[in-house]
Amino acid sequence: MPSLSRRHFFGAAAGVAAFAAAPRLVFAQAPAAAPAAAPAPAGPFAVPPLAYPFNALEPHIDAKTMEIHHDRHHGAYVANLNTIAKANPQLGTSAITDVLGNLNALGDDIKFAVRNNLGGHANHTMFWEIMAPGGGKPEGEVLAAIDKDLGGLEKFQTDFNAAGGRQFGSGWVFVTVAKDGKLAIETRPNQDNPIMDGKRALLGNDVWEHAYYLNYQNRRADYLKAWWNTVNWSKVAERYAAAKAGTLGV
Ligand SMILES: [Fe+2]
């Protein structure tokens, strides 16, 4: 009986298919049943979007490093700040420069966390801003200040790289700019920022291992050298003018 045979065949085939599919279905459902990652707490702080794709700075900084650094590391500082701001709403309504410039005004219960997480938010916001594909060279007033205060471009970059290499553990190497426009190379540990002692960062490079380890491993010196290919000098020039005008934020 062909039709019965066919029904039997299809029935059997369906049974086999169902049997074969079952483990896959169970498997497919398993991740959905697992606890989802907790959404980042909403609040007044947000990671600023990059003005370029994650892979835009390759080969100097690889796309995966940029993605993890921007979305997860900076994201964690922002998430922590939003958690702190729930119980301390004034944190979200104050200028970042005011808070970082007056950390001692904060209660002891949040001072350390604000220093680390708001410092990290400020540092990384600056960092994404002063990079761009294509790099370029300093010119105009910034170049004149580099020549005057830092011994010229070549010496400046050599000294900056050496300072970044000497920073023990995690931290940053900055060019700070004073109100009169004077430049200096300075390092800070952890997520400290020159705003904390009344200065401003004109530019800075992140020497935490999370900034380079996927591609450079322990070769921080190679990362520091390659990083110059990513510096957005036209943005640095804007920051320099703003610093002299007293309007530079983070
Ligand atoms: Fe970082």
mmCIF file of all heavy atoms in Angstrom, residues 69-70 73-74 77 120 123-124 127-128 171-172 190-191 205-212 223, ligand 1:
data_model
loop_
_atom_site.group_PDB
_atom_site.id
_atom_site.type_symbol
_atom_site.label_atom_id
_atom_site.label_comp_id
_atom_site.label_asym_id
_atom_site.label_seq_id
_atom_site.Cartn_x
_atom_site.Cartn_y
_atom_site.Cartn_z
ATOM 1 N N HIS A 69 37.830 47.953 24.700
ATOM 2 C CA HIS A 69 38.252 49.127 25.476
ATOM 3 C C HIS A 69 37.102 50.135 25.595
ATOM 4 O O HIS A 69 36.781 50.617 26.691
ATOM 5 C CB HIS A 69 39.459 49.748 24.776
ATOM 6 C CG HIS A 69 40.265 50.675 25.608
ATOM 7 N ND1 HIS A 69 41.429 51.256 25.164
ATOM 8 C CD2 HIS A 69 40.087 51.147 26.868
ATOM 9 C CE1 HIS A 69 41.927 52.020 26.110
ATOM 10 N NE2 HIS A 69 41.131 51.981 27.149
ATOM 11 N N HIS A 70 36.492 50.431 24.460
ATOM 12 C CA HIS A 70 35.419 51.435 24.436
ATOM 13 C C HIS A 70 34.136 50.920 25.102
ATOM 14 O O HIS A 70 33.593 51.545 26.015
ATOM 15 C CB HIS A 70 35.139 51.837 22.980
ATOM 16 C CG HIS A 70 34.053 52.852 22.817
ATOM 17 N ND1 HIS A 70 32.728 52.497 22.613
ATOM 18 C CD2 HIS A 70 34.074 54.209 22.843
ATOM 19 C CE1 HIS A 70 32.006 53.594 22.506
ATOM 20 N NE2 HIS A 70 32.786 54.642 22.640
ATOM 21 N N HIS A 73 35.428 48.447 28.919
ATOM 22 C CA HIS A 73 36.193 49.136 29.973
ATOM 23 C C HIS A 73 35.591 50.510 30.263
ATOM 24 O O HIS A 73 35.264 50.814 31.413
ATOM 25 C CB HIS A 73 37.675 49.249 29.589
ATOM 26 C CG HIS A 73 38.389 47.935 29.643
ATOM 27 N ND1 HIS A 73 38.909 47.408 30.809
ATOM 28 C CD2 HIS A 73 38.640 47.025 28.676
ATOM 29 C CE1 HIS A 73 39.456 46.234 30.553
ATOM 30 N NE2 HIS A 73 39.306 45.980 29.266
ATOM 31 N N HIS A 74 35.458 51.329 29.231
ATOM 32 C CA HIS A 74 34.823 52.630 29.471
ATOM 33 C C HIS A 74 33.373 52.412 29.925
ATOM 34 O O HIS A 74 32.875 53.119 30.808
ATOM 35 C CB HIS A 74 34.896 53.492 28.200
ATOM 36 C CG HIS A 74 34.550 54.926 28.414
ATOM 37 N ND1 HIS A 74 34.763 55.900 27.472
ATOM 38 C CD2 HIS A 74 33.977 55.563 29.473
ATOM 39 C CE1 HIS A 74 34.364 57.074 27.942
ATOM 40 N NE2 HIS A 74 33.879 56.892 29.146
ATOM 41 N N TYR A 77 33.148 51.929 33.673
ATOM 42 C CA TYR A 77 33.269 53.163 34.464
ATOM 43 C C TYR A 77 31.935 53.910 34.468
ATOM 44 O O TYR A 77 31.495 54.420 35.508
ATOM 45 C CB TYR A 77 34.375 54.074 33.900
ATOM 46 C CG TYR A 77 35.750 53.441 33.847
ATOM 47 C CD1 TYR A 77 36.505 53.445 32.678
ATOM 48 C CD2 TYR A 77 36.295 52.827 34.974
ATOM 49 C CE1 TYR A 77 37.765 52.857 32.625
ATOM 50 C CE2 TYR A 77 37.555 52.245 34.929
ATOM 51 C CZ TYR A 77 38.284 52.256 33.754
ATOM 52 O OH TYR A 77 39.523 51.669 33.710
ATOM 53 N N GLY A 120 38.257 57.797 35.090
ATOM 54 C CA GLY A 120 38.287 56.916 33.919
ATOM 55 C C GLY A 120 37.383 57.413 32.805
ATOM 56 O O GLY A 120 37.739 57.353 31.622
ATOM 57 N N ASN A 123 39.161 60.517 31.304
ATOM 58 C CA ASN A 123 40.352 60.139 30.535
ATOM 59 C C ASN A 123 39.984 59.503 29.199
ATOM 60 O O ASN A 123 40.550 59.834 28.155
ATOM 61 C CB ASN A 123 41.207 59.156 31.336
ATOM 62 C CG ASN A 123 41.975 59.833 32.453
ATOM 63 O OD1 ASN A 123 42.197 61.040 32.425
ATOM 64 N ND2 ASN A 123 42.371 59.064 33.457
ATOM 65 N N HIS A 124 39.039 58.574 29.244
ATOM 66 C CA HIS A 124 38.689 57.874 28.002
ATOM 67 C C HIS A 124 37.904 58.762 27.049
ATOM 68 O O HIS A 124 38.059 58.651 25.826
ATOM 69 C CB HIS A 124 37.944 56.579 28.318
ATOM 70 C CG HIS A 124 38.839 55.524 28.911
ATOM 71 N ND1 HIS A 124 39.097 55.451 30.258
ATOM 72 C CD2 HIS A 124 39.587 54.559 28.324
ATOM 73 C CE1 HIS A 124 39.947 54.454 30.480
ATOM 74 N NE2 HIS A 124 40.261 53.896 29.321
ATOM 75 N N PHE A 127 40.468 60.522 25.314
ATOM 76 C CA PHE A 127 41.278 59.600 24.497
ATOM 77 C C PHE A 127 40.611 59.306 23.150
ATOM 78 O O PHE A 127 41.245 59.387 22.107
ATOM 79 C CB PHE A 127 41.475 58.313 25.300
ATOM 80 C CG PHE A 127 42.431 57.313 24.725
ATOM 81 C CD1 PHE A 127 43.751 57.658 24.464
ATOM 82 C CD2 PHE A 127 42.028 56.007 24.486
ATOM 83 C CE1 PHE A 127 44.646 56.705 23.966
ATOM 84 C CE2 PHE A 127 42.908 55.049 23.991
ATOM 85 C CZ PHE A 127 44.220 55.401 23.730
ATOM 86 N N TRP A 128 39.315 58.983 23.169
ATOM 87 C CA TRP A 128 38.619 58.696 21.897
ATOM 88 C C TRP A 128 38.621 59.938 21.002
ATOM 89 O O TRP A 128 38.701 59.840 19.793
ATOM 90 C CB TRP A 128 37.179 58.237 22.127
ATOM 91 C CG TRP A 128 36.995 57.180 23.172
ATOM 92 C CD1 TRP A 128 36.093 57.187 24.206
ATOM 93 C CD2 TRP A 128 37.709 55.933 23.303
ATOM 94 N NE1 TRP A 128 36.227 56.054 24.962
ATOM 95 C CE2 TRP A 128 37.195 55.267 24.446
ATOM 96 C CE3 TRP A 128 38.736 55.331 22.575
ATOM 97 C CZ2 TRP A 128 37.678 54.022 24.867
ATOM 98 C CZ3 TRP A 128 39.217 54.089 22.994
ATOM 99 C CH2 TRP A 128 38.692 53.457 24.118
ATOM 100 N N GLY A 171 48.166 53.318 34.191
ATOM 101 C CA GLY A 171 48.110 54.769 34.288
ATOM 102 C C GLY A 171 48.097 55.418 32.930
ATOM 103 O O GLY A 171 47.797 54.777 31.914
ATOM 104 N N TRP A 172 48.429 56.697 32.931
ATOM 105 C CA TRP A 172 48.355 57.511 31.715
ATOM 106 C C TRP A 172 49.592 58.382 31.600
ATOM 107 O O TRP A 172 50.184 58.774 32.615
ATOM 108 C CB TRP A 172 47.125 58.427 31.782
ATOM 109 C CG TRP A 172 45.830 57.691 31.633
ATOM 110 C CD1 TRP A 172 45.210 56.924 32.566
ATOM 111 C CD2 TRP A 172 45.004 57.643 30.468
ATOM 112 N NE1 TRP A 172 44.045 56.397 32.052
ATOM 113 C CE2 TRP A 172 43.897 56.832 30.771
ATOM 114 C CE3 TRP A 172 45.095 58.212 29.193
ATOM 115 C CZ2 TRP A 172 42.885 56.572 29.845
ATOM 116 C CZ3 TRP A 172 44.095 57.960 28.282
ATOM 117 C CH2 TRP A 172 43.001 57.142 28.602
ATOM 118 N N ASN A 190 46.771 54.933 37.656
ATOM 119 C CA ASN A 190 45.361 54.504 37.647
ATOM 120 C C ASN A 190 44.536 55.345 36.689
ATOM 121 O O ASN A 190 44.872 55.486 35.536
ATOM 122 C CB ASN A 190 44.811 54.519 39.082
ATOM 123 C CG ASN A 190 45.688 53.690 40.001
ATOM 124 O OD1 ASN A 190 46.100 52.591 39.635
ATOM 125 N ND2 ASN A 190 46.023 54.220 41.167
ATOM 126 N N GLN A 191 43.430 55.918 37.157
ATOM 127 C CA GLN A 191 42.602 56.784 36.296
ATOM 128 C C GLN A 191 42.649 58.229 36.779
ATOM 129 O O GLN A 191 41.709 58.993 36.560
ATOM 130 C CB GLN A 191 41.155 56.270 36.244
ATOM 131 C CG GLN A 191 40.988 54.947 35.539
ATOM 132 C CD GLN A 191 41.373 54.988 34.061
ATOM 133 O OE1 GLN A 191 41.641 56.038 33.489
ATOM 134 N NE2 GLN A 191 41.394 53.814 33.442
ATOM 135 N N ASN A 205 47.898 59.389 26.466
ATOM 136 C CA ASN A 205 47.855 58.008 25.995
ATOM 137 C C ASN A 205 47.653 57.084 27.185
ATOM 138 O O ASN A 205 48.243 57.256 28.250
ATOM 139 C CB ASN A 205 49.146 57.652 25.240
ATOM 140 C CG ASN A 205 49.005 56.345 24.458
ATOM 141 O OD1 ASN A 205 47.940 55.723 24.473
ATOM 142 N ND2 ASN A 205 50.068 55.943 23.789
ATOM 143 N N ASP A 206 46.798 56.111 26.969
ATOM 144 C CA ASP A 206 46.418 55.130 27.979
ATOM 145 C C ASP A 206 47.466 54.024 27.990
ATOM 146 O O ASP A 206 47.656 53.340 26.982
ATOM 147 C CB ASP A 206 45.036 54.570 27.575
ATOM 148 C CG ASP A 206 44.413 53.670 28.608
ATOM 149 O OD1 ASP A 206 45.127 53.197 29.517
ATOM 150 O OD2 ASP A 206 43.198 53.429 28.496
ATOM 151 N N VAL A 207 48.158 53.843 29.118
ATOM 152 C CA VAL A 207 49.148 52.764 29.183
ATOM 153 C C VAL A 207 48.692 51.620 30.089
ATOM 154 O O VAL A 207 49.512 50.796 30.520
ATOM 155 C CB VAL A 207 50.554 53.276 29.575
ATOM 156 C CG1 VAL A 207 51.087 54.229 28.505
ATOM 157 C CG2 VAL A 207 50.585 53.928 30.932
ATOM 158 N N TRP A 208 47.388 51.561 30.362
ATOM 159 C CA TRP A 208 46.855 50.343 30.982
ATOM 160 C C TRP A 208 47.049 49.205 29.975
ATOM 161 O O TRP A 208 46.890 49.419 28.764
ATOM 162 C CB TRP A 208 45.355 50.497 31.261
ATOM 163 C CG TRP A 208 44.991 51.327 32.446
ATOM 164 C CD1 TRP A 208 45.275 52.641 32.649
ATOM 165 C CD2 TRP A 208 44.225 50.903 33.573
ATOM 166 N NE1 TRP A 208 44.747 53.055 33.847
ATOM 167 C CE2 TRP A 208 44.092 52.014 34.431
ATOM 168 C CE3 TRP A 208 43.633 49.694 33.937
ATOM 169 C CZ2 TRP A 208 43.403 51.947 35.641
ATOM 170 C CZ3 TRP A 208 42.943 49.621 35.139
ATOM 171 C CH2 TRP A 208 42.836 50.740 35.985
ATOM 172 N N GLU A 209 47.300 48.010 30.457
ATOM 173 C CA GLU A 209 47.492 46.896 29.518
ATOM 174 C C GLU A 209 46.263 46.666 28.645
ATOM 175 O O GLU A 209 46.370 46.210 27.512
ATOM 176 C CB GLU A 209 47.863 45.617 30.273
ATOM 177 C CG GLU A 209 49.310 45.619 30.748
ATOM 178 C CD GLU A 209 49.739 44.300 31.345
ATOM 179 O OE1 GLU A 209 48.863 43.489 31.713
ATOM 180 O OE2 GLU A 209 50.959 44.080 31.466
ATOM 181 N N HIS A 210 45.077 47.007 29.148
ATOM 182 C CA HIS A 210 43.876 46.764 28.336
ATOM 183 C C HIS A 210 43.890 47.591 27.043
ATOM 184 O O HIS A 210 43.135 47.312 26.130
ATOM 185 C CB HIS A 210 42.587 47.011 29.142
ATOM 186 C CG HIS A 210 42.308 48.434 29.532
ATOM 187 N ND1 HIS A 210 41.849 48.798 30.783
ATOM 188 C CD2 HIS A 210 42.392 49.595 28.850
ATOM 189 C CE1 HIS A 210 41.678 50.099 30.834
ATOM 190 N NE2 HIS A 210 41.990 50.618 29.669
ATOM 191 N N ALA A 211 44.743 48.624 26.976
ATOM 192 C CA ALA A 211 44.796 49.481 25.786
ATOM 193 C C ALA A 211 45.601 48.859 24.654
ATOM 194 O O ALA A 211 45.502 49.310 23.518
ATOM 195 C CB ALA A 211 45.399 50.837 26.162
ATOM 196 N N TYR A 212 46.409 47.844 24.962
ATOM 197 C CA TYR A 212 47.323 47.358 23.914
ATOM 198 C C TYR A 212 47.638 45.873 23.971
ATOM 199 O O TYR A 212 48.264 45.333 23.067
ATOM 200 C CB TYR A 212 48.634 48.154 23.971
ATOM 201 C CG TYR A 212 49.415 48.025 25.268
ATOM 202 C CD1 TYR A 212 50.312 46.981 25.468
ATOM 203 C CD2 TYR A 212 49.248 48.951 26.309
ATOM 204 C CE1 TYR A 212 51.032 46.854 26.645
ATOM 205 C CE2 TYR A 212 49.976 48.845 27.480
ATOM 206 C CZ TYR A 212 50.862 47.799 27.653
ATOM 207 O OH TYR A 212 51.561 47.685 28.831
ATOM 208 N N TYR A 223 53.760 49.910 21.308
ATOM 209 C CA TYR A 223 52.434 50.552 21.281
ATOM 210 C C TYR A 223 52.580 52.068 21.380
ATOM 211 O O TYR A 223 51.964 52.819 20.611
ATOM 212 C CB TYR A 223 51.587 49.993 22.427
ATOM 213 C CG TYR A 223 50.439 50.866 22.848
ATOM 214 C CD1 TYR A 223 49.322 51.049 22.022
ATOM 215 C CD2 TYR A 223 50.440 51.517 24.082
ATOM 216 C CE1 TYR A 223 48.261 51.854 22.408
ATOM 217 C CE2 TYR A 223 49.394 52.316 24.479
ATOM 218 C CZ TYR A 223 48.310 52.479 23.642
ATOM 219 O OH TYR A 223 47.264 53.280 24.026
HETATM 220 FE FE FE B 1 41.669 52.459 29.146
#
